[in-house]
Structures are given as structure tokens and as C-alpha cells.
Amino acid sequence: MKGFDQQTLHDLEFNQIREWLAAFSIGATAQKRLENLSPNNDFDAIEFELLRLNEFKRIRVEGESFPALDFEELLAEIKLLPIHNAVLQQEGFVRITRASELVNHMLHFFDKRSQDFPNLFALLKNVYFTRELIEAIEKVFDRRGQIKDDASPELFAIRQQIAKLRNQINRNFDKEMRRYLKEGLLGDTKEAFINERRVLTVQSSHKRKIGGMVVGSSKTGSLTFIEPAINIPLNNELEMSLDDERKEIFRILQELTREIAHHLPLIEAYQELLVEFDFINAKTKLALDLNANLPGIVRNTRIELIDAFHPILWKTNKGLGKVTLPQSLILDANSRMLVISGPNAGGKSITLKTIGLLQIMLQAGLLIPVHENSKFCFFQQVLTDIGDNQSIENELSTYSYRLKRMKFFLKVSNRRTLLLLDEFGTGSDPELGGALAEVFFEELYKRKSYGVITTHYANIKLKADRLPNAVNGCMLFNTETLEPLYRFSMGQPGSSFTFEVAQMNGIPMDLIEQAKGKLDQNRVKMDHLLNELNKEKMYLQRLNKEHIEAQELANNARMEFIEKKQRIDERLRNQQELAEKNNLFINSGKKMKSFIDRYQTRTRKKDANNPLMEDVRKYLMVEKSKIEEAKRKTELIQAQNKPQKPVAKKRKTQKPEEDVYQRDKIVVGSIVKMIETKQSGTVEEIKGHILTVAFGFMRLKVEREKLMWIK
């Protein structure tokens, strides 16, 4: 695999990306990898790295409880463990414990997420869940990383003896200090520590009155430090006990080191895994910092930028509170050579650099600040000719340097090459340099390379217009305010706006007119034509924008009218229904009033023989039938308008027989499955109807009724 051109990485300022990445790393190994990160042209490897990185970004964005990457590298331990009779330092055992706990947490995290994050899960293939390392170390060390008193019976006895001696020494010292203090023989500080021993601070004029051994004096000589005679033999005994303690600790650590050495392959896998996650985590932090995404990766040669930002410019402007405009463009088989023209300081170079930097970032396995619907392919090489690269050491002028780069490009370019040529053809006589640049352009085009070229040369713009697989583009310029818009437009060349930019910078108009008079009129007319085309394009874009906005307003007004009409129609229907009901009540009331008027309160005839009551009954029966008929029609209409829910077929429930799950076959060692969650595990213990089942590295107590026998 051939490495990427180093000059390209320099021209596109990729080193700034490396610095940002290295600052996000935890350990030195990942930091060094990030400092030396380079683009890759192994397409399968790049794609795998990008998919893995995108998975980790998803974990961070979606708020998954991924364990914190808090670890120290195990390089020193891995180097020492294979050596016979080697002894690890106390800090080394602490590092191994923390690494083992972290990897166990990571295994637990991916236990039920292996399908969601398959590429990250694949990194865990060489590690496994275990507490052997942790338990072995915890027998010797406490939570603070200090060796326990009961790490061995011998150490326990030695430390008890040390504690006893220290207590006796302190009691003796306090007694002696109180006695000499009463006699006024001690200095203001009373005591001090010399060689980790408590000594009396005695006024030098009284030193012969103190029984003990002189161990030093103050700088001025006014104070003498004396160890009380009663403590001299005890301190000597304490020194020997401390020496015994050191030897016993060395023996314990040596034995523990031998035990840990059996797990060397696993510890090496810890180191590899944690460094890899450190490496991925740094990339993820940069992606989150830049609002970066994974674009679509295509195998055919194609670049489709949607809302792409130059990461360095975007971050710089963000710090200054300035807005950065995104760029969108397409390079494909029909437009593989893009010629960008337009005014100076209009954004041509930054557009070119945006394409190049995003491409090499992607091929270095990094997410990039583009819309996720963008599309990118991979190139075997990305080659640049950007900026003034004259060399005093090699006595190269800018043009000589560019000719040497062009010679190199013509030698290596192919259909999987992306060329980025800024200010193409400059550095020499405009006419001669332009002619040579046109020839170079044709040769690179014949090699079917992809390229982005910025230029002011009219012949290059004309050549791009004539070649079927080349295309012009321009940076837009506001001819009214005489300011660049920093927006890219594809499809036509742009004017350099030389005279407009000069006017914007305060050059007098009479001088500008004199300059126009010295030019070939065809050239002036062409530049004027491009200027007019730019104006017309901006005018059409403004009309199109206004048309879209007007269409949106019209659609909104139409929807508002429809909604209002529906509300009015509904209100009208309700009023009509209410009027019909009221009319019905009025007619019924009139009818009933006629019955009342005809009713003779003093009649002695039975109701059955009363013709009035017979008419009332008939009327009521007719009206009741009308009401019921209207009610049925209303219910039928409501039923037709109501959305129909699919009727679920009732399943015949049948009580399972007691032996369907074959629970009576379950014994210690049986493979069983949880009926609800379908998890399989091994029975480790049975206490009545409660079973202890191991599911992977988790152990749960489960009722027998919730399990089914497998084998």
C-alpha cells in the first residue's frame, strides 16, 4: 500500500486535525498513533474503521451507558511479566485491576448490544469476562492500593510487632518530653523528626543534661536534636522489623507476580483493546466537536457534497462568533474536472481546500462535517498544488516548484486520482503560462483523473466548457454592493471582477477606465459578458426564491381557507340539525295542544272508548317509530364513518398440561430457558422451587415455574 503524498497533507493543513485528535487521547500509545495518522487507500479497511467509528458516535449521541475510559496503559507490566522472578510494582497491580474491571464492564455493555454495534463488538474477540485477576490482587491489596495486613500470616505478625514497638516508643518519648519540658531544657518546637525518628529539640546549652544520642543540630547551632536513651534500642528493633516487613512484602509481590503472569495473553489483550478504544474515542470526540457525520460511501468514483464545511475555518469562525457558509457541489463521471473561477478573496481556494481536506480526513478514518446524505468515494491518491512554495534551499522559484509538481502529477495520475490545483498556471508570463497550463489540463483530462482547479485564465475556462466531462463553476459576487458572497455556483465560469474589486478598494474610477483602455476590447467584452451573466443568474435566483416563497404563502393561505370553510360548513350543518329538531318539537307541541283542547275533563267514559285517547296513542306510536328510524339511520352513518379495526380472532385458550415445559426433568447442570425472555442458561443450584441459573456471566435466582427444560 502506497502512502499518501506528504506535501498534500501539508497543503491541506491536516496536521491541525492531528493536533486536535491527539489532545483528545488518554494514553501515550493512542496519542502517538493520532499524531502520525495518515489517509489510507485500503478501501475495505477505511470503510470498516468508519463504520466502527460511527457506531461509537451513536453510543455517545444516544446516551448509552458506556463505561468511562479511565485506565492507564499496561506496557511496563507486559514487559516485566515474562521475566523469571520479576516483581511488579504496587502501582502495576492497581493498573491491572482497573483494566480488568473496565473490560468486564465493556463486555457487560455489549452482552445484549452485539447486534446493534457489530463492528465494535468484534474488537472484544480476544478478551473474556473473568474475576480471577481482580480476586487474586484483592487478596493482597485493599481499595486504596495498599498491601493488606493479612496478605500473609508472616506479614500480619510483623505488622503487629511494628505497631507494638511504635506505641511503646511514643509512650516513652511523651514521658521524657514532659519531664524535660518542666525542667525548661527544651526549645520552642519541643520535638522533631530525624531519619523518621522522634527526637527532642534541646537548647544546646543544656544538651549534656539529657540522656540520649545526639543526631543533629539546627543551622545556627542553638538547638541540638537528641534521641532519648530509653528509645534507642526500641528504634533499632523497629528498624529490623521494618526490614522484615519489606522482605515479606517483596516475597508476597513476587508470588503474586508469578500468579498474574499466567494471564499474560489476557493482559496483552487488555492493552490492545483499551488503546484501540482510546483511539476511537478521540476520533469520536472530534466528530462531536465538529458536528461531523458519516456520508454515504460509494464504490464508483463520485463526490457529492451537501452542506460541507471546512473544519478549520468553521471552528475558527465559531470562536470569533462569525457565520461560516457551507458549500455543495458534485464531481462524477460527467463532471470530473471542475474549474472554479471568480474574484480574488471570493472563496475559490477555501472551496478547493474543503473538498481536499474532507477527502483525506475521510480516508484517515474520520467523520467529516457534511450532511449525512452527502456521498464520497475513495481515491488512491490526492495531489495538491496550493500556495507559494518557493524554496531558497533548493533555489526553486514558485513557477519552478509548480513545474516539478506538474511533472510528478503527469507521471502518477490515473482514474483514481483527485487533483487540487490552486491558481492553475500562474507564476509565469500570462499568455505563455496560460498556454502551457491548457496543455497540462488536457493531459490530466486524458488520464481520466478527477480534479478541482481554480484559475483566472480565460482559455482554461473555455477548455472546460468544450470538454464533455469537464465543467465550470464560479464563486458568486454581489455586483450591487461589490462584495463577494462566498457561495459556489456550478455550471458557468465567473468573472474575476478585477475592476469591481479595485473600485471596492478605493481605486479612482479614472485610473480604472485607463486600465480598461489598455486591454484588448474582446477581453473587456468577455469579462463584461461574464459580469452580466452573473447579474442575470443572481436575478433569476432571487426571482426563483421569491416565487418559492410566494408559492408557500399561497399554499398556506389555501390550507387556511379550506380549514375555515370546513369549520363554517360544520357549524351550518349543526344549525340545520338544531332547526329541524326545534321544528319537530314545535309541531309535536301543536299536536299535543290540539289533543288537550279536545280533552273533556268531566267525561265519564272509559279511556278505551274515548276516541281522543285512541288518536293520542296512534300519534305517539307513529312519532315513536319516526324517532327510532331516525336514530337507526344516525347510528348507521356513524358506523360507516368510523374507522374499522381489524377484529382479532379469539384464540381458544387451553390450559397447558403440567408436563408441557418438562420442569420435572430440571436438575443441577440442566440447560434451561426463561419462558418470557427466551434467555438460555445453566442450572447451578436448586433450593426448593428457587433455582440459581447462570446466564452468561450473570447469575439469577429464578422460580421453577418461569423456566422450561431444554436438555
Side-chain angles (χ1 to χ4, degrees), residues 26 33 59 80 133 146 167 187 330 368 384 431 699:
I26 298 170
R33 282 179 63 184
I59 290 174
L80 278 173
L133 279 166
Q146 302 299 316
N167 287 336
I330 295 176
I368 53 178
T384 61
E431 291 187 13
R699 290 172 175 78

Side-chain angles (χ1 to χ4, degrees), residues 561-622:
F561 169 76
I562 291 172
E563 291 175 1
K564 188 178 292 185
K565 184 177 181 300
Q566 289 174 345
R567 289 196 298 270
I568 293 172
D569 291 345
E570 181 68 22
R571 190 181 303 166
L572 182 60
R573 281 195 298 271
N574 293 337
Q575 289 176 349
Q576 289 174 344
E577 290 176 2
L578 181 61
E580 290 175 0
K581 287 180 181 179
N582 290 338
N583 288 333
L584 178 63
F585 293 151
I586 291 169
N587 293 331
S588 299
K590 288 179 179 179
K591 190 71 175 177
M592 289 303 295
K593 187 176 184 301
S594 70
F595 291 147
I596 293 169
D597 292 340
R598 291 167 57 193
Y599 184 69
Q600 300 296 326
T601 56
R602 294 185 178 182
T603 182
R604 294 181 179 179
K605 294 181 180 180
K606 293 182 179 179
D607 289 345
N609 298 323
N610 190 336
L612 174 62
M613 295 307 295
E614 183 65 25
D615 290 344
V616 170
R617 280 195 296 272
K618 288 181 180 179
Y619 174 76
L620 292 177
M621 289 175 64
V622 171

